[in-house]
Amino acid sequence: MVDHTKNASGGGKPLDAKDSLCLRAPIGGWLCSIADVPDPVFSGRILGDGFAVDPTDATLRAPFSGIVTSLHRAHHAVTLRAEDGAEVLMHIGLDTVALKGDGFTPHVAEGDRVKAGDPLISFDMDVISQLVRSLVVPVVLTNGERFTLAVSGVDREIAAGDEVATIVPQGEATPSKANASEGDAVIVKVRVADPHGIHARPAGLIAEAAKSGAAEVIIRLGDRKASAASPVGLMLLGAQHNDELTIEAKGADGAEIASRIATLLGGPEVPEVSAAASAPEAVASSEPAMPEVAEAPELWGPGVAKTIDGTTASPGLAAGVSVRITSEDFEISEAGADVEQEIKELRAALKTAATDLGAKIAESKGQQAEILTAHLSFVEDPDLRDAAWTMIRDGKSAAYAWKTAIDRQVAALRKLGNPVLAERAADLEDVRRRVLAILLGVSGSATVLPDEAVIFAADLLPSQFADLDLSKVAGIVLAYAGPTAHVSILAASKGIPAVVAAGVGVLCVPDGQPVVLDADRASVRINPPEGDLADIRAAVVRRRERLAANRAATQDDCYMADGKRIEVVANLGGPADVAVALESGAEGCGLMRSEFLFLNRTSAPSEDEQYAQYQAIADGLKGRPLIIRTLDAGADKDVPYANLPKEENPALGLRGVRMSLWQPELLRTQIRAILRVKPYGQTKILLPMIATLADLRDVRKVIDAEMKALGRTAPIEVGIMVEVPSAALISKTLAAEADFLSVGTNDLAQYTLAIDRVNARLAKQLDPFHPAVLRLIQLAAEGARTHGRWVGVCGSLASFPLAAPVLIGLGVTELSATAGSIAEIKAMVRTLDMTKCKAVAEAALALESGEAVRRMLAQSWPEA
């Protein structure tokens, strides 16, 4: 029998059975006491009272009907709130947060309504059991100050859905601790030391500390906040490793408790004391937090001279006038009218958006078409649609439901801590804006631009970029986007100078100010001296005239002034890029990034699917050379179906060819697809992240085996990427067995300079012009030359016309670049002779920095 009068706090009125909530087993297995869980946070009931199940099933199910208030980003824990407010945390296994989602498949998202028995999370028992110390599933009532849980017998076998416990309210809320709101607020800043952020264990320990004395404690992360006494609220903050938190403790024991919590989180910085607010602030609810729009910073006055530095997204020089583009604020009603009518309106808006995108895709080509195709997939995403329809059925308007469904996905992407995936969130925001505009009947008219407009914005969505009159856009300056964001890619494809990640100062520039944008140096000058402005305008005119002449001659093959042949080819991502590359003068493809076929999907592309893509590119190139790089995944390029283990340093782990050899079936399938491409001899294979001779030999064995299986006797050339210092240092050894070498300067700079290529704070220091990087390119060329092999460069350095003299002087004979830079590269190469290139290369190797190399090259070729 369940005692419904039980009250953990020792008070409150007796309750009837009708007030109770039946809690059913969320998973089948052996039911045991929470005290038996081999973890003191659970066994000590620090998170709350409950029970545990040693599972025999592999699917966690809802123990009652309610709302999902928290789904941990590692997908190992979920919190469910009942209609009466009781909150229950279910945690699959111990230390499973370290798996970062590997082996777990969530079936719900935060905010979803579920019925008892609905699947919440599935998991791979065989895999996970080998990686963690226990698969036991603790089930914990987290708000025990309001409810009491009673378990109906433990140490027995149960099936999912069996009645195992009862939750009853405690009656009147327990009064607040005396004097908790008196005195000044102690403010302590601390960075999260736990590599997995605030998950169940630290949340429970922090909550225990917060309840240990007379104090009211709030923890803030940016504009989000939660009561330190609420484990669920703390987990909903989404705090990750190294995030800065602010602890605000008010009350008699505030200083002591704040210090304890800071120690639990990772060690405080210098505490500050401020006057207490007149009234305590409300803490975060357990509903998923929606992004808030920050108040726009104050504009600078007209005529104020400023310089803004950022990161180059698209090189070039521009002079013009500032034009601010701000985000649209849609007025949205939360409450819906008629459910069926709201669903009908959303369905019609999604259909219209899909039709519009389809038309734009048909008119576009290259990277813009690929970006729009990704947007179309979001519009047609069944999970987004179903999430919106669920909210509509709960009484929300179509516009509110669609915005909220997108916002939750955007927040989830940005919480992952991966800069590349965070930038992809902008694509979701673009789709949100597009559909909302249709729902609300808002005109999508483009911004009217003056001539020579330099756009200033927090960010630009791809659809906003597409709406611009590009004939009037001289340049783009963005506060927050990164160099790999889609707007950066689009700007580069159109040859528009762009600087990104330039900070909030971008939002302070008023309209109509004279601007000089030097994207080569990632610098923006507002209201420069009139003399400087006139000189820059003249330089821009000369540059445009030169570019027009270069484009007119770009279809001819590229030879140096002394007759030396230098191939200038293009980097491609798929068949849509071929036409643009050929129009730009590409003499073939020096790097086909095959990973784009593997990303943003739940399973690997089949052999036939890959073959169709590769053959389409080969056909489009019309006999010109095609170099296909095998799958370069891992680190910032996630392919979840590869089941890569989570690593402390993923850039140093299963990346590139290591991942392919670790998952040999993926490699074999791709090799077979490449070997089928005809005509034989046009296509070559390029292997990424080769570090040792054994790497090359292992893949050669796979290629030989698959050639034999296919009955192909025609040889295929196999080259290696020089991306790690070891490959350059042993290039003579590698070149004995590789047919060619291609230098990837992005990764080579990363590993040589020990700078993470996706770390925005260090972006300016990650310089491929650095003499150390150039020295390794020289070593690679010397090693290749010993065996008569050729060396190309396919990293970002090859897309800088100014880099051509030094690369050629180092021994490079092929430059694989972005389509937009090919005409200028060819024009530069045609002015060069080998004697001067070798002299410039030797001089560059003797300099102290990449900036010094740039200065020397700029002085030698000022027009470049």
Side-chain angles (χ1 to χ4, degrees):
M1 292 290 294
V2 176
D3 181 5
H4 297 294
T5 65
K6 182 180 178 182
N7 188 320
S9 63
K13 63 183 180 181
L15 293 154
D16 299 325
K18 63 183 177 61
D19 297 311
S20 65
L21 170 69
C22 175
L23 196 156
R24 299 181 181 276
I27 196 165
W30 186 260
L31 179 67
C32 56
S33 168
I34 193 73
D36 294 333
V37 176
D39 186 303
V41 171
F42 291 108
S43 62
R45 293 178 170 81
I46 291 173
L47 281 169
D49 198 8
F51 57 88
V53 181
D54 193 358
T56 54
D57 293 344
T59 299
L60 186 74
R61 299 180 179 277
F64 49 77
S65 298
I67 297 175
V68 177
T69 59
S70 173
L71 175 67
H72 196 279
R73 61 182 176 276
H75 298 156
H76 70 299
V78 61
T79 304
L80 195 63
R81 187 179 66 220
E83 295 298 329
D84 64 358
E87 288 192 321
V88 171
L89 165 70
M90 291 155 280
H91 193 285
I92 302 172
L94 303 181
D95 301 327
T96 41
V97 65
L99 301 181
K100 298 184 179 178
D102 279 355
F104 296 92
T105 303
H107 302 295
V108 292
E110 291 179 354
D112 284 357
R113 289 186 180 274
V114 295
K115 300 187 298 296
D118 283 353
L120 302 175
I121 303 170
S122 297
F123 54 99
D124 189 326
M125 294 182 69
D126 294 335
V127 171
I128 296 172
S129 63
Q130 301 300 313
L131 300 175
V132 298
R133 58 192 173 103
S134 175
L135 264 183
V136 69
V137 179
V139 180
V140 178
L141 174 69
T142 62
N143 51 350
E145 73 279 0
R146 294 178 52 200
F147 298 87
T148 298
L149 179 143
V151 182
S152 53
V154 293
D155 296 327
R156 59 190 175 94
E157 189 171 358
I158 56 171
D162 288 353
E163 296 183 10
V164 292
T166 305
I167 297 175
V168 293
Q170 292 192 20
E172 300 295 330
T174 304
S176 301
K177 296 175 183 176
N179 303 319
S181 61
E182 293 182 358
D184 288 340
V186 175
I187 299 177
V188 180
K189 294 185 182 298
V190 62
R191 291 196 179 275
V192 179
D194 193 308
H196 310 301
I198 297 183
H199 51 100
R201 183 177 294 108
L205 294 173
I206 293 166
E208 182 185 42
K211 297 172 184 176
S212 65
E216 178 181 294
V217 186
I218 301 295
I219 295 182
R220 297 179 182 274
L221 172 62
D223 57 0
R224 300 194 297 278
K225 56 184 179 289
S227 167
S230 168
V232 173
L234 291 169
M235 287 188 287
L236 282 170
L237 281 176
Q240 300 189 43
H241 173 64
N242 210 38
D243 279 350
E244 184 179 81
L245 302 178
T246 300
I247 305 167
E248 297 179 5
K250 189 178 179 184
D253 301 322
E256 180 184 349
I257 291 175
S259 178
R260 285 182 59 193
I261 292 174
T263 301
L264 288 169
L265 284 166
E269 298 176 4
V270 179
E272 306 168 10
V273 179
S274 65
S278 58
E281 296 184 77
V283 299
S285 73
S286 54
E287 292 288 347
M290 292 295 106
E292 295 180 8
V293 179
E295 186 177 342
E298 186 176 347
L299 296 178
W300 295 325
V304 173
K306 295 278 188 178
T307 298
I308 300 173
D309 294 323
T311 299
T312 300
S314 175
L317 183 68
V321 295
S322 59
V323 177
R324 296 171 61 241
I325 293 183
T326 57
S327 301
E328 295 182 57
D329 288 328
F330 295 112
E331 292 186 7
I332 295 174
S333 172
E334 179 175 351
D338 176 74
V339 169
E340 294 305 319
Q341 181 62 28
E342 297 286 351
I343 289 178
K344 180 179 178 181
E345 289 180 4
L346 179 55
R347 184 181 286 115
L350 292 173
K351 183 177 180 180
T352 300
T355 301
D356 292 347
L357 282 167
K360 288 184 179 293
I361 291 168
E363 298 168 0
S364 305
K365 52 188 174 183
Q367 290 168 320
Q368 185 164 359
E370 292 175 359
I371 292 168
L372 292 173
T373 300
H375 289 192
L376 179 59
S377 71
F378 290 143
V379 168
E380 296 174 340
D381 188 303
D383 290 340
L384 285 173
R385 179 199 62 206
D386 292 347
W389 286 356
T390 297
M391 282 181 272
I392 290 174
R393 293 188 180 99
D394 287 339
K396 308 301 183 185
S397 70
Y400 179 87
W402 179 252
K403 178 182 182 300
T404 304
I406 293 280
D407 284 346
R408 285 174 176 160
Q409 294 300 315
V410 167
L413 275 178
R414 287 185 170 148
K415 282 181 181 178
L416 292 175
N418 184 318
V420 176
L421 293 178
E423 287 171 353
R424 296 292 82 84
D427 297 309
L428 275 169
E429 291 174 329
D430 200 329
V431 171
R432 177 188 63 196
R433 171 181 175 269
R434 185 185 296 275
V435 175
L436 286 178
I438 296 169
L439 279 169
L440 301 172
V442 177
S443 171
S445 58
T447 303
V448 178
L449 300 175
D451 292 334
E452 306 299 332
V454 179
I455 305 298
F456 285 78
D459 199 353
L460 274 183
L461 300 174
S463 64
Q464 290 175 302
F465 181 91
D467 287 340
L468 295 173
D469 181 354
L470 298 183
S471 67
K472 295 187 174 184
V473 176
I476 295 172
V477 185
L478 301 179
Y480 303 122
T484 61
H486 277 157
V487 68
S488 300
I489 295 170
L490 291 172
S493 71
K494 299 297 183 182
I496 297 173
V499 169
V500 298
V504 293
V506 170
L507 310 180
C508 300
V509 180
D511 288 335
Q513 305 303 294
V515 176
V516 169
L517 169 58
D518 187 347
D520 294 332
R521 293 177 174 82
S523 177
V524 186
R525 297 169 65 192
I526 317 300
N527 289 302
E530 188 58 39
D532 292 358
L533 189 58
D535 291 344
I536 294 295
R537 284 176 174 154
V540 170
V541 171
R542 292 194 302 271
R543 188 167 183 160
R544 285 179 180 168
E545 292 172 348
R546 188 178 70 250
L547 181 57
N550 294 342
R551 286 176 175 165
T554 193
Q555 294 301 323
D556 297 332
D557 285 346
C558 189
Y559 290 86
M560 295 172 65
D562 57 10
K564 172 73 173 177
R565 178 77 165 101
I566 300 295
E567 292 183 86
V568 183
V569 291
N571 298 332
L572 303 178
D577 294 338
V578 175
V580 176
L582 295 182
E583 288 172 10
S584 301
E587 300 168 14
C589 171
L591 172 66
M592 189 268 156
R593 295 186 174 99
S594 68
E595 60 266 23
F596 290 119
L597 287 170
F598 291 79
L599 301 177
N600 302 316
R601 54 191 298 157
T602 57
S603 61
S606 67
E607 178 184 331
D608 287 342
E609 183 181 353
Q610 291 185 61
Y611 164 70
Q613 292 281 310
Y614 304 149
Q615 188 65 60
I617 296 172
D619 293 343
L621 289 171
K622 300 177 181 177
R624 297 175 180 86
L626 167 60
I627 298 176
I628 300 175
R629 182 173 67 187
T630 59
L631 177 59
D632 184 15
D636 59 316
K637 288 177 275 192
D638 186 31
V639 282
Y641 47 84
N643 296 316
L644 292 175
K646 295 302 176 183
E647 301 170 294
E648 288 298 319
N649 295 298
L652 302 179
L654 291 172
R655 260 205 72 188
V657 74
R658 292 174 184 168
M659 194 221 74
S660 295
L661 291 169
W662 188 71
Q663 291 280 18
E665 189 52 44
L666 282 177
L667 177 62
R668 284 193 291 268
T669 300
Q670 184 170 31
I671 294 298
R672 286 195 300 270
I674 295 173
L675 290 172
R676 290 169 59 190
V677 176
K678 294 182 179 179
Y680 293 154
Q682 178 185 6
T683 301
K684 304 173 177 62
I685 296 174
L686 182 60
L687 307 179
M689 299 298 293
I690 293 291
T692 67
L693 184 60
D695 293 337
L696 173 57
R697 287 176 172 173
D698 287 345
V699 182
R700 279 279 198 185
K701 290 176 184 176
V702 175
I703 295 171
D704 292 343
E706 295 306 327
M707 286 185 66
K708 183 177 181 180
L710 289 171
R712 172 173 169 169
T713 57
I716 187 167
E717 291 186 37
V718 179
I720 64 163
M721 292 284 289
V722 178
E723 298 172 282
V724 297
S726 66
L729 293 169
I730 62 168
S731 58
K732 182 177 178 180
T733 301
L734 292 169
E737 300 187 26
D739 296 304
F740 62 94
L741 280 65
S742 186
V743 181
T745 56
N746 299 350
D747 273 318
L748 186 60
Q750 169 177 246
Y751 294 120
T752 302
L753 301 175
I755 294 175
D756 187 346
R757 59 186 288 189
V758 297
N759 188 327
R761 294 184 182 92
L762 300 176
K764 293 179 184 178
Q765 299 175 46
L766 187 66
D767 193 346
F769 282 91
H770 195 285
V773 179
L774 299 180
R775 178 73 68 182
L776 290 172
I777 296 174
Q778 181 190 47
L779 288 175
E782 290 174 349
R785 191 162 50 245
T786 303
H787 296 281
R789 312 301 192 197
W790 62 267
V791 175
V793 174
C794 59
S796 63
L797 190 59
S799 295
F800 286 89
L802 203 57
V806 71
L807 291 175
I808 292 171
L810 293 172
V812 171
T813 60
E814 184 222 55
L815 300 171
S816 190
T818 58
S821 62
I822 287 175
E824 289 196 85
I825 292 170
K826 282 188 166 184
M828 166 64 86
V829 172
R830 289 174 181 137
T831 68
L832 303 176
D833 65 79
M834 188 58 74
T835 300
K836 185 173 182 180
C837 287
K838 287 183 177 180
V840 166
E842 285 301 320
L845 294 175
L847 295 175
E848 74 278 3
S849 68
E851 180 58 34
V853 173
R854 292 171 188 267
R855 282 198 303 269
M856 180 195 69
L857 294 171
Q859 289 167 2
S860 300
W861 288 276
E863 287 299 315

